[in-house]
Amino acid sequence: MSTQFEFHLTGADAPHGELEADQLLAIVAGLKAVATKIGRVETDAEALGRVPQRTQRVAKLLIGLQPGSTRVLARRAGPGDGSLDFDLAEERAFDERFADLVEAIAIDERPSWVGDSLSRAAADLTGALRNAAPRVEFKVDGTVRRTFSTSTTHRETWSVEGRHDGDQVTFVGQLFAVNLRSHRLQVQDDVGHQIALPQVADDKTAASLIGTHVVVTGTPERDADGTLTHLHDAIIVTAPDPLSGSGVPASVPLDDILASAPGLEPGGIEGLTDDEFDAFFAAMDL
């Protein structure tokens, strides 16, 4: 059975059982982002590109508000046809990770297993909870796991370790994917390593470079293994094809080669005057 997560929000100005639309949307967006990032990890899905169906099955959440008090409920949607009355291992792992992450938010500590991508989502969820209510009681299947004051939680806790404003990474590859609607681009180097470029500001200009080699400079985002996955605030400029100009040069005529080859001048020896040359051959009786 799918685990149910409950966020009981107290101390807010809104009436019990109600929440401002913007606040609810922010919480839902944060929960969805966290679920998707954890789902990718638990199903060994790639960090980039469309979310695989297997990951969607594990990470899809149903969200609701419980009447009578401001309680946001979230649980996995499940397979949808009711044919399974048990959870797969990766679904159980998802539930555990999800609960662990919310508890980490509650105690304001970033676990070592949280990569940059999930950390960004956790920061957004932290901010959404802070804006929604002063206090949160977090339950898992009806059991209280944490009760905490949102004022003691901080987005900065989830900042990327070792990253400072101004840190930049340069990546050279071929621009092969452009989505102007989501402002998301992707670039791939010559060995197949793909990097996502989210929210590129001047993506329409960059789109004209699709299929060509480019130089991308931006702020790095890495996964839990330290592998570069994203470049934020990316600047994209054209770059020469690294294979251009590497062809075999045209053949050179033999006469040109012989004409340019060094050798003795006829009738003389390099470094000797004519008199020394004559004296040398006279001594050899030639």
Side-chain angles (χ1 to χ4, degrees):
M1 297 292 292
S2 178
T3 300
Q4 179 162 283
F5 305 99
E6 179 181 317
F7 299 82
H8 184 192
L9 310 177
T10 60
D13 294 333
H16 287 306
E18 297 181 7
L19 200 61
E20 291 185 9
D22 289 344
Q23 294 175 341
L24 178 59
L25 289 174
I27 292 176
V28 171
L31 291 172
K32 180 180 178 181
V34 166
T36 301
K37 304 301 183 185
I38 294 177
R40 283 185 182 273
V41 173
E42 297 304 330
T43 59
D44 294 324
E46 295 292 335
L48 308 179
R50 186 184 299 274
V51 179
Q53 185 175 359
R54 179 184 175 194
T55 302
Q56 292 180 10
R57 173 182 55 77
V58 171
K60 186 177 181 180
L61 293 180
L62 295 177
I63 306 293
L65 281 177
Q66 189 177 64
S69 61
T70 310
R71 300 175 188 269
V72 179
L73 307 179
R75 64 177 177 84
R76 280 185 291 102
D81 57 6
S83 59
L84 295 179
D85 58 358
F86 60 90
D87 292 333
L88 301 177
E90 59 194 16
E91 293 174 326
R92 293 193 299 271
F94 169 88
D95 290 345
E96 292 172 2
R97 284 293 196 192
F98 190 92
D100 288 345
L101 185 72
V102 176
E103 289 198 74
I105 291 176
I107 64 176
D108 203 34
E109 292 183 6
R110 176 182 171 177
S112 60
W113 53 267
V114 175
D116 289 357
S117 184
L118 177 54
S119 185
R120 290 175 181 272
D124 290 341
L125 180 56
T126 300
L129 293 174
R130 280 179 61 102
N131 291 333
R135 292 180 299 279
V136 175
E137 181 183 68
F138 175 58
K139 293 182 179 181
V140 178
D141 281 340
T143 301
V144 176
R145 295 281 287 266
R146 293 284 175 179
T147 300
F148 60 97
S149 171
T150 57
S151 63
T152 63
T153 65
H154 305 86
R155 291 180 61 97
E156 295 76 15
T157 301
W158 303 93
S159 62
V160 178
E161 294 183 33
R163 177 181 148 193
H164 306 280
D165 291 340
D167 283 357
Q168 298 283 292
V169 167
T170 297
F171 186 90
V172 179
Q174 186 181 57
L175 184 66
F176 76 96
V178 175
N179 188 328
L180 296 180
R181 178 173 296 179
S182 65
H183 305 284
R184 188 181 184 91
L185 292 78
Q186 283 183 267
V187 64
Q188 176 175 290
D189 64 16
D190 293 329
V191 296
H193 187 199
Q194 297 180 5
I195 299 295
L197 313 175
Q199 298 297 322
V200 175
D202 194 11
D203 53 0
K204 290 185 178 179
T205 300
S208 64
L209 301 176
I210 191 167
T212 67
H213 277 75
V214 295
V215 178
V216 182
T217 303
T219 305
E221 176 182 330
R222 305 179 188 274
D223 62 18
D225 296 326
T227 301
L228 180 66
T229 59
H230 298 69
L231 286 177
H232 294 267
D233 304 319
I235 298 175
I236 306 172
V237 297
T238 188
D241 188 333
L243 299 180
S244 63
S246 61
V248 178
S251 61
V252 179
L254 179 60
D255 290 343
D256 292 346
I257 296 176
L258 295 177
S260 64
L264 295 176
E265 296 181 4
I269 298 178
E270 184 178 2
L272 298 180
T273 64
D274 290 344
D275 291 339
E276 292 172 336
F277 177 81
D278 292 339
F280 172 75
F281 280 96
M284 299 178 62
D285 293 328
L286 296 177

